[in-house]
């Protein structure tokens, strides 16, 4: 990771919190962030060699455990990189959707505290990660009868927006797309 990439990522996170009414004043980082310390929008506290930030290490461990739990039952011998990335997003989305015992609140989830939004079961729990679906296209309305209106996809989970949009991996193109509606089908060979 270059200093430019790390700087952009850090700025994006700090701006996200700022938009939601939080003031970030210090970030605990590992030594990779030493290269952007002078250009960072906040104070950066980096660790020494072989030193760790316990809270971050524990969080990473929990994410890896939950990732493995979602990955193990999948019927695939190999996942494309886009699916691996979105599986991590999926795990993090659901981790932030529920309150934690040692968190700021025992009744409000981290997502609710930061964004003031909550996930709704009927909108955001419409299928499992890795499930085969036929996603519906939302093209301009035409009268051409022979146009395909769905495409074969693998469900990647909810986007987390208010409308309940989901992300799917289009099998034909290998691209991640967003769709509003889909049909759940048995996994083909």
């Amino acid at each position: 990771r270059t200093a430019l990439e790390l700087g952009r990522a850090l700025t994006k996170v700090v701006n996200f919190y700022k938009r939601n009414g939080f003031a970030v004043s210090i970030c605990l980082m590992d030594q990779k962030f030493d290269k952007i310390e002078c250009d960072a929008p906040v104070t950066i506290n980096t660790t020494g060699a072989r030193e760790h930030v316990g809270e971050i290490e524990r969080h990473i461990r929990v994410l890896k455990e939950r990732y493995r739990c979602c990955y193990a039952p999948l019927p695939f011998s190999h996942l494309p990189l886009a699916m691996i990335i979105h599986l991590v997003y999926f795990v993090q989305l659901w981790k932030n959707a529920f309150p934690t015992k040692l968190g700021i609140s025992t009744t409000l989830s981290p997502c609710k505290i930061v964004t003031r939004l909550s996930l709704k079961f009927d909108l955001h729990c419409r299928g499992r990660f890795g499930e085969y679906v036929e996603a519906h296209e939302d093209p301009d309305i035409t009268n051409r009868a022979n146009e395909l209106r769905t495409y074969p996809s693998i469900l990647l989970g909810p986007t987390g927006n208010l409308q309940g949009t989901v992300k799917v991996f289009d099998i034909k193109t290998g691209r991640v797309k967003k769709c509003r509606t889909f049909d759940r089908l048995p996994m083909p060979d």
Side-chain angles (χ1 to χ4, degrees):
R1 296 182 179 106
T2 66
L4 183 63
E5 290 172 330
L6 291 173
R8 283 183 185 159
L10 180 61
T11 302
K12 186 177 177 181
V13 170
V14 169
N15 287 340
F16 171 78
Y17 280 99
K18 188 187 290 184
R19 270 194 320 269
N20 290 297
F22 292 88
V24 178
S25 57
I26 188 167
C27 292
L28 306 175
M29 307 285 195
D30 60 17
Q31 289 184 338
K32 289 178 199 152
F33 286 84
D34 277 341
K35 41 185 146 174
I36 65 162
E37 195 164 4
C38 58
D39 299 328
V42 294
T43 303
I44 293 182
N45 180 31
T46 55
T47 59
R50 291 183 301 215
E51 194 177 36
H52 300 285
V53 179
E55 296 88 354
I56 296 171
E57 296 299 326
R58 179 70 176 137
H59 177 75
I60 291 169
R61 187 170 128 200
V62 168
L63 281 181
K64 285 181 178 180
E65 288 168 353
R66 292 184 183 185
Y67 171 91
R68 289 182 193 111
C69 289
C70 291
Y71 179 79
L74 294 176
F76 312 114
S77 58
H78 173 74
L79 288 182
L81 181 61
M83 284 183 69
I84 292 170
I85 291 168
H86 285 278
L87 180 52
V88 173
Y89 291 161
F90 176 80
V91 169
Q92 184 63 51
L93 175 90
W94 287 112
K95 185 176 184 306
N96 285 338
F98 296 97
T100 57
K101 286 182 186 176
L102 302 175
I104 295 171
S105 171
T106 56
T107 57
L108 297 174
S109 70
C111 179
K112 180 76 171 175
I113 293 168
V114 175
T115 65
R116 295 172 186 81
L117 301 173
S118 333
L119 299 181
K120 292 181 174 59
F121 181 80
D122 58 332
L123 286 176
H124 299 101
C125 298
R126 297 188 291 152
R128 294 183 326 270
F129 184 94
E131 188 173 13
Y132 178 75
V133 296
E134 284 285 329
H136 294 234
E137 289 276 7
D138 288 325
D140 295 330
I141 297 170
T142 62
N143 261 348
R144 289 183 243 150
N146 293 338
E147 272 188 19
L148 295 177
R149 298 203 172 125
T150 64
Y151 52 93
S153 306
I154 303 296
L155 187 66
L156 300 178
T159 60
N161 68 4
L162 294 170
Q163 297 84 0
T165 306
V166 296
K167 295 179 286 187
V168 295
F169 180 78
D170 186 342
I171 294 173
K172 289 183 179 177
T173 64
R175 298 182 70 203
V176 175
K177 297 180 177 179
K178 294 178 183 178
C179 70
R180 290 185 296 158
T181 56
F182 58 88
D183 295 319
R184 297 166 69 185
L185 297 171
M187 182 72 71
D189 291 337

